[in-house]
mmCIF file of all heavy atoms in Angstrom:
data_model
loop_
_atom_site.group_PDB
_atom_site.id
_atom_site.type_symbol
_atom_site.label_atom_id
_atom_site.label_comp_id
_atom_site.label_asym_id
_atom_site.label_seq_id
_atom_site.Cartn_x
_atom_site.Cartn_y
_atom_site.Cartn_z
ATOM 1 N N ASN A 231 -8.652 20.247 50.061
ATOM 2 C CA ASN A 231 -7.981 21.070 49.108
ATOM 3 C C ASN A 231 -7.162 20.132 48.202
ATOM 4 O O ASN A 231 -6.355 19.423 48.666
ATOM 5 C CB ASN A 231 -7.105 21.995 49.807
ATOM 6 C CG ASN A 231 -6.406 22.882 48.759
ATOM 7 O OD1 ASN A 231 -5.282 22.496 48.262
ATOM 8 N ND2 ASN A 231 -6.855 24.001 48.471
ATOM 9 N N PHE A 232 -7.501 20.148 46.943
ATOM 10 C CA PHE A 232 -6.838 19.310 45.911
ATOM 11 C C PHE A 232 -5.274 19.339 45.952
ATOM 12 O O PHE A 232 -4.653 18.318 46.063
ATOM 13 C CB PHE A 232 -7.343 19.554 44.465
ATOM 14 C CG PHE A 232 -6.446 18.877 43.518
ATOM 15 C CD1 PHE A 232 -6.339 17.542 43.373
ATOM 16 C CD2 PHE A 232 -5.716 19.772 42.612
ATOM 17 C CE1 PHE A 232 -5.515 16.950 42.389
ATOM 18 C CE2 PHE A 232 -4.875 19.150 41.670
ATOM 19 C CZ PHE A 232 -4.705 17.744 41.541
ATOM 20 N N LEU A 233 -4.745 20.518 45.737
ATOM 21 C CA LEU A 233 -3.264 20.728 45.614
ATOM 22 C C LEU A 233 -2.520 20.167 46.821
ATOM 23 O O LEU A 233 -1.626 19.454 46.753
ATOM 24 C CB LEU A 233 -2.954 22.116 45.297
ATOM 25 C CG LEU A 233 -1.376 22.408 44.980
ATOM 26 C CD1 LEU A 233 -1.055 21.466 43.710
ATOM 27 C CD2 LEU A 233 -1.212 23.884 44.625
ATOM 28 N N SER A 234 -2.957 20.667 48.009
ATOM 29 C CA SER A 234 -2.288 20.347 49.247
ATOM 30 C C SER A 234 -2.545 18.727 49.500
ATOM 31 O O SER A 234 -1.564 18.189 49.997
ATOM 32 C CB SER A 234 -2.727 21.124 50.462
ATOM 33 O OG SER A 234 -4.139 21.013 50.749
ATOM 34 N N SER A 235 -3.664 18.365 49.288
ATOM 35 C CA SER A 235 -3.840 16.793 49.427
ATOM 36 C C SER A 235 -2.974 15.984 48.546
ATOM 37 O O SER A 235 -2.400 14.939 48.871
ATOM 38 C CB SER A 235 -5.291 16.433 49.240
ATOM 39 O OG SER A 235 -6.182 16.953 50.292
ATOM 40 N N TYR A 236 -2.884 16.428 47.372
ATOM 41 C CA TYR A 236 -2.099 15.713 46.309
ATOM 42 C C TYR A 236 -0.661 15.718 46.638
ATOM 43 O O TYR A 236 0.089 14.657 46.647
ATOM 44 C CB TYR A 236 -2.253 16.541 45.016
ATOM 45 C CG TYR A 236 -1.597 15.862 43.690
ATOM 46 C CD1 TYR A 236 -1.794 14.583 43.434
ATOM 47 C CD2 TYR A 236 -0.574 16.569 43.057
ATOM 48 C CE1 TYR A 236 -1.059 13.902 42.351
ATOM 49 C CE2 TYR A 236 0.213 16.092 41.972
ATOM 50 C CZ TYR A 236 -0.117 14.791 41.639
ATOM 51 O OH TYR A 236 0.549 14.160 40.664
ATOM 52 N N ILE A 237 -0.092 16.963 47.059
ATOM 53 C CA ILE A 237 1.282 17.014 47.435
ATOM 54 C C ILE A 237 1.517 16.228 48.713
ATOM 55 O O ILE A 237 2.531 15.331 48.801
ATOM 56 C CB ILE A 237 1.718 18.432 47.758
ATOM 57 C CG1 ILE A 237 1.702 19.226 46.404
ATOM 58 C CG2 ILE A 237 3.190 18.526 48.286
ATOM 59 C CD1 ILE A 237 1.864 20.714 46.435
ATOM 60 N N GLU A 238 0.643 16.214 49.662
ATOM 61 C CA GLU A 238 0.864 15.473 51.007
ATOM 62 C C GLU A 238 0.863 14.015 50.660
ATOM 63 O O GLU A 238 1.649 13.297 51.236
ATOM 64 C CB GLU A 238 -0.250 15.894 51.829
ATOM 65 C CG GLU A 238 -0.059 17.193 52.587
ATOM 66 C CD GLU A 238 -1.200 17.471 53.485
ATOM 67 O OE1 GLU A 238 -1.664 16.645 54.322
ATOM 68 O OE2 GLU A 238 -1.814 18.621 53.510
ATOM 69 N N SER A 239 -0.078 13.555 49.848
ATOM 70 C CA SER A 239 -0.182 12.070 49.581
ATOM 71 C C SER A 239 1.178 11.671 48.878
ATOM 72 O O SER A 239 1.677 10.540 49.244
ATOM 73 C CB SER A 239 -1.301 11.923 48.498
ATOM 74 O OG SER A 239 -2.549 12.144 49.054
ATOM 75 N N PHE A 240 1.593 12.431 47.958
ATOM 76 C CA PHE A 240 2.875 12.174 47.272
ATOM 77 C C PHE A 240 4.072 11.960 48.227
ATOM 78 O O PHE A 240 4.969 11.107 48.152
ATOM 79 C CB PHE A 240 3.154 13.199 46.208
ATOM 80 C CG PHE A 240 4.295 12.809 45.300
ATOM 81 C CD1 PHE A 240 4.313 11.472 44.612
ATOM 82 C CD2 PHE A 240 5.264 13.682 44.828
ATOM 83 C CE1 PHE A 240 5.389 11.121 43.760
ATOM 84 C CE2 PHE A 240 6.207 13.371 43.874
ATOM 85 C CZ PHE A 240 6.219 12.116 43.493
ATOM 86 N N LEU A 241 4.176 12.985 49.170
ATOM 87 C CA LEU A 241 5.257 13.014 50.202
ATOM 88 C C LEU A 241 5.109 11.809 51.125
ATOM 89 O O LEU A 241 6.146 11.208 51.584
ATOM 90 C CB LEU A 241 5.192 14.360 50.960
ATOM 91 C CG LEU A 241 5.541 15.527 50.110
ATOM 92 C CD1 LEU A 241 5.426 16.829 50.932
ATOM 93 C CD2 LEU A 241 7.065 15.455 49.606
ATOM 94 N N ILE A 242 3.888 11.498 51.519
ATOM 95 C CA ILE A 242 3.694 10.334 52.557
ATOM 96 C C ILE A 242 4.188 9.083 51.812
ATOM 97 O O ILE A 242 4.790 8.260 52.475
ATOM 98 C CB ILE A 242 2.202 10.260 52.897
ATOM 99 C CG1 ILE A 242 1.960 11.392 53.827
ATOM 100 C CG2 ILE A 242 1.978 8.958 53.655
ATOM 101 C CD1 ILE A 242 2.610 11.415 55.131
ATOM 102 N N ILE A 243 3.942 8.870 50.534
ATOM 103 C CA ILE A 243 4.330 7.647 49.802
ATOM 104 C C ILE A 243 5.782 7.649 49.844
ATOM 105 O O ILE A 243 6.459 6.563 49.980
ATOM 106 C CB ILE A 243 3.840 7.655 48.370
ATOM 107 C CG1 ILE A 243 2.239 7.514 48.374
ATOM 108 C CG2 ILE A 243 4.357 6.599 47.547
ATOM 109 C CD1 ILE A 243 1.595 7.769 47.134
ATOM 110 N N TYR A 244 6.589 8.719 49.591
ATOM 111 C CA TYR A 244 8.052 8.851 49.640
ATOM 112 C C TYR A 244 8.558 8.498 51.072
ATOM 113 O O TYR A 244 9.585 7.747 51.142
ATOM 114 C CB TYR A 244 8.497 10.221 49.197
ATOM 115 C CG TYR A 244 8.840 10.238 47.809
ATOM 116 C CD1 TYR A 244 7.976 10.465 46.764
ATOM 117 C CD2 TYR A 244 10.178 10.323 47.363
ATOM 118 C CE1 TYR A 244 8.178 10.484 45.439
ATOM 119 C CE2 TYR A 244 10.520 10.321 46.080
ATOM 120 C CZ TYR A 244 9.601 10.510 45.087
ATOM 121 O OH TYR A 244 9.932 10.533 43.747
ATOM 122 N N ILE A 245 7.868 8.884 52.008
ATOM 123 C CA ILE A 245 8.309 8.590 53.438
ATOM 124 C C ILE A 245 8.200 7.090 53.691
ATOM 125 O O ILE A 245 9.076 6.527 54.297
ATOM 126 C CB ILE A 245 7.413 9.400 54.451
ATOM 127 C CG1 ILE A 245 7.818 10.885 54.385
ATOM 128 C CG2 ILE A 245 7.529 8.877 55.905
ATOM 129 C CD1 ILE A 245 6.884 11.751 55.206
ATOM 130 N N ILE A 246 7.101 6.593 53.187
ATOM 131 C CA ILE A 246 6.889 5.148 53.310
ATOM 132 C C ILE A 246 8.036 4.387 52.663
ATOM 133 O O ILE A 246 8.561 3.364 53.208
ATOM 134 C CB ILE A 246 5.522 4.639 52.818
ATOM 135 C CG1 ILE A 246 4.450 5.083 53.717
ATOM 136 C CG2 ILE A 246 5.509 3.072 52.710
ATOM 137 C CD1 ILE A 246 3.047 4.934 53.127
ATOM 138 N N TRP A 247 8.330 4.754 51.386
ATOM 139 C CA TRP A 247 9.526 4.111 50.680
ATOM 140 C C TRP A 247 10.846 4.150 51.659
ATOM 141 O O TRP A 247 11.472 3.250 51.575
ATOM 142 C CB TRP A 247 9.750 4.959 49.416
ATOM 143 C CG TRP A 247 8.712 4.651 48.326
ATOM 144 C CD1 TRP A 247 7.881 3.639 48.349
ATOM 145 C CD2 TRP A 247 8.546 5.354 47.135
ATOM 146 N NE1 TRP A 247 7.001 3.714 47.171
ATOM 147 C CE2 TRP A 247 7.556 4.652 46.406
ATOM 148 C CE3 TRP A 247 9.218 6.478 46.508
ATOM 149 C CZ2 TRP A 247 7.129 5.083 45.190
ATOM 150 C CZ3 TRP A 247 8.783 6.842 45.310
ATOM 151 C CH2 TRP A 247 7.708 6.270 44.636
#
Side-chain angles (χ1 to χ4, degrees):
N231 179 276
F232 162 67
L233 186 59
S234 60
S235 290
Y236 181 61
I237 294 172
E238 284 178 48
S239 299
F240 192 45
L241 291 176
I242 292 296
I243 291 167
Y244 263 78
I245 290 170
I246 289 173
W247 286 348

